[in-house]
Amino acid sequence: MSVRSNGRSLSFEILSGYLPSSGEPSSGEVTPPRSKRKRKPKKKKHKTDGNANATLETIPNSDDEALLLRAQEIGFKELESRRSVCGTSTTVVDQVHHSPSVSCVSFELRQRNVNGGLGDADVADEVGNKKEVQEVSNVGFKRDGQDVNVGFKGLEKEKSLDWNQVMKENPGFLHDSSILEKSPVKYFMGELYSGNSLRSTISVGNEKKRQRVYNSMFHVPWRCERLIVAGFFVCLDSFLSLLTIMPARILMTIWKLLKTRQLLWPNAAELADFGCFIVLGLGVTSLQMIDISLIYHVIRGQGTIKLYVVYNVLEIFDKLCQSFGEDVLQVLFNSAEGLSTCSKDNITSELMQFILDEAIAVIAFVVHSFVLLAQAITLSTCIIAHNNALLALLVSNNFAEIKSNVFKRVSKENLHNLVYYDIIERFHITAFLLFVLAQNLLEAEGPWLSSFFWNALEVYVCEILIDAIKHSFLAKFNEIKPVAYSEFLEDLCRQILNDKPDERQKDLTFIPLAPACVVIRVLTPVYATLLPYGPFYWRFFWIIVWSSLTYIMLAIFKTLVILLLRFLATWYVNLRLRTKQHVD
């Protein structure tokens, strides 16, 4: 093994002058030179730096005291070198008996590696800067024929932690555990009376936790469903206004034009009514050209999984069309206002802009109407099927809705928008069920009313449960209190009363053009079955009669709805004001 000195003189080099040559005896003794002439020992200057180690030259045997001092000097030099490398203290026994006759000096050397117990030279080279220390166990000489040792004790080795030795010294180490001393019966009884339980692993709740549980189970579902029901009737009022108020205003405008026989420039409201009526008429005409039975059989031929995928895709397109349709109508109404107030110089450009916006609105709402019609046909296919496809569709679709909404961070404003989307979705489901009812009236055979009633009830119950679960956990995860839904309802009531003190108040925006196109397209064949056979003028007469009766019923229903909504909105706003005053 090669020894690296790192610039330090090793004990082998120090004692090289005392080692016997090849022709001398190997007893470990170094005989002095045979010259009997006494010489004074030469004084050698020693280096005083941290790596200073003495080198031993030839020591004469004539001066015993010099030899003794030299031997002690060598031992102390080695001891200092060891201290500087290892940082350990050694005990020097310097009890040396002086004698003028010293015949020889003997050394025992022992080499020790201090690089963490690794005696291998390759490992010492890889670690680097690990120093090897030579320990001088005995520095001795002979005095009067007797060996006298100057003892330099070596470094003490740390006691290693040996498991067998620990077990030998402490035989009862493993038997101190209280678990091993108990029998299985005693251990079970101890766990029964003082062991782990659910109460010890779960912290005890407080009144705040109790209120949180009650909010998730009772307060949030109740207030959310109350808001959705109120919003449903607001959507119904908008739907009935489109079918009753808008046609009446158009007839009044035409009657005014015929009565005065003057071409008056219409105002912004009248242009907006004409634009919506054109969109409604072209939408119904486009849907009349679609063969519902063909689409029904195409969808029915798909599997349950494909029905679920188709329904989800159509629902996504429905929400996209809602958002885009709102922007399109805003642009159309802006164009109508600009056309009604423009000067004669800009009338051509404003008219062209209004026509362009009208064409975009027609395309957008025709596409939206077709999406709603396909969605209604898909739901009708699941209801008519006898393999529980409706239940599978509702469960998969609604739980996918929970997954996409519940585990997201939702602010109060986003929750407000989400509630409004749920309101519109509830109204669309009602329009789909009306489509299913109309199809049963036209094509069903045998008793179908009770089956339709239970299927419709199943659809509504699933929607109510899913909305309750979704909003309960949304409020729980986002730490939204149930009073937020009361504030949403108050904003909706102020919208009904046209009371908007706060400009940042958000309104429920529902555009009934696409659902109206679907409902009219579905109910037209039902009314056609009620018309008697005969000449055209006779059939036209009955068309006018049935249309008038339907209009009157819808107008009465619309009046009742708006009166009831205004009464309840006024009552709730006053209740909220009294509650706020009481809290203040």
Side-chain angles (χ1 to χ4, degrees), residues 29 100 112 239 308 384 403 478 551:
E29 298 179 356
R112 181 169 176 263
F239 179 80
Y308 158 70
I384 296 175
K403 179 183 177 182
N478 297 279
Y551 179 83

Side-chain angles (χ1 to χ4, degrees), residues 45 130 197 231 234 265 333:
K45 293 182 181 180
K130 299 296 182 179
S197 62
V234 172
W265 195 253
F333 292 161

Side-chain angles (χ1 to χ4, degrees), residues 259-530:
K259 184 178 180 180
T260 57
R261 295 181 181 180
Q262 295 180 0
L263 184 59
L264 299 177
W265 195 253
N267 56 23
E270 293 173 348
L271 286 175
D273 289 335
F274 275 111
C276 292
F277 183 77
I278 292 172
V279 171
L280 181 64
L282 292 179
V284 173
T285 305
S286 301
L287 293 182
Q288 290 286 351
M289 301 170 61
I290 296 175
D291 190 359
I292 295 178
S293 60
L294 178 62
I295 299 176
Y296 170 78
H297 287 290
V298 170
I299 295 177
R300 189 175 182 180
Q302 309 299 323
T304 304
I305 302 299
K306 291 184 179 180
L307 286 178
Y308 158 70
V309 173
V310 168
Y311 194 82
N312 277 341
V313 170
L314 293 174
E315 189 174 8
I316 292 172
F317 274 105
D318 177 27
K319 292 181 179 180
L320 295 177
C321 291
Q322 288 180 36
S323 179
F324 184 70
E326 180 180 355
D327 297 337
V328 167
L329 273 190
Q330 289 177 356
V331 171
L332 179 62
F333 292 161
N334 180 264
S335 299
E337 186 175 357
L339 182 60
S340 63
T341 58
C342 68
S343 61
K344 293 183 179 179
D345 297 334
N346 297 329
I347 188 171
T348 304
S349 61
E350 292 292 338
L351 183 60
M352 293 300 296
Q353 185 175 0
F354 179 78
I355 293 174
L356 177 61
D357 294 338
E358 181 71 23
I360 294 174
V362 168
I363 295 173
F365 284 101
V366 166
V367 173
H368 192 190
S369 302
F370 177 76
V371 169
L372 291 181
L373 181 63
Q375 201 170 357
I377 294 173
T378 306
L379 184 63
S380 175
T381 304
C382 295
I383 290 177
I384 296 175
H386 299 286
N387 55 354
N388 294 325
L390 176 62
L391 183 61
L393 176 67
L394 294 176
V395 170
S396 58
N397 181 54
N398 289 325
F399 277 93
E401 182 180 359
I402 289 178
K403 179 183 177 182
S404 61
N405 292 311
V406 167
F407 302 104
K408 291 182 180 179
R409 197 68 182 173
V410 178
S411 63
K412 190 175 179 180
E413 183 179 359
N414 292 335
L415 184 64
H416 202 173
N417 293 329
L418 186 61
V419 174
Y420 283 170
Y421 272 120
D422 292 336
I423 292 171
I424 297 173
E425 182 183 7
R426 188 75 61 86
F427 186 83
H428 284 175
I429 289 175
T430 304
F432 298 158
L433 291 176
L434 185 61
F435 171 84
V436 176
L437 177 63
Q439 290 297 112
N440 288 332
L441 287 173
L442 292 175
E443 301 175 1
E445 298 178 355
W448 56 268
L449 186 59
S450 61
S451 176
F452 170 78
F453 174 78
W454 289 112
N455 289 329
L457 183 62
E458 182 180 357
V459 171
Y460 275 117
V461 168
C462 285
E463 285 296 323
I464 292 171
L465 288 177
I466 293 303
D467 289 337
I469 294 172
K470 178 175 67 178
H471 286 279
S472 295
F473 283 98
L474 276 174
K476 177 181 180 295
F477 292 153
N478 297 279
E479 297 180 357
I480 298 175
K481 296 182 179 180
V483 70
Y485 293 91
S486 300
E487 295 175 0
F488 300 160
L489 183 57
E490 183 180 0
D491 293 341
L492 187 61
C493 292
R494 292 186 182 277
Q495 177 185 347
I496 295 171
L497 299 175
N498 294 323
D499 182 13
K500 299 180 182 179
D502 189 1
E503 294 297 332
R504 294 174 299 176
Q505 176 181 332
K506 183 174 180 59
D507 293 338
L508 173 60
T509 304
F510 174 66
I511 304 174
L513 286 172
C517 293
V518 175
V519 171
I520 293 174
R521 166 65 181 86
V522 170
L523 293 180
T524 300
V526 176
Y527 277 93
T529 58
L530 299 177

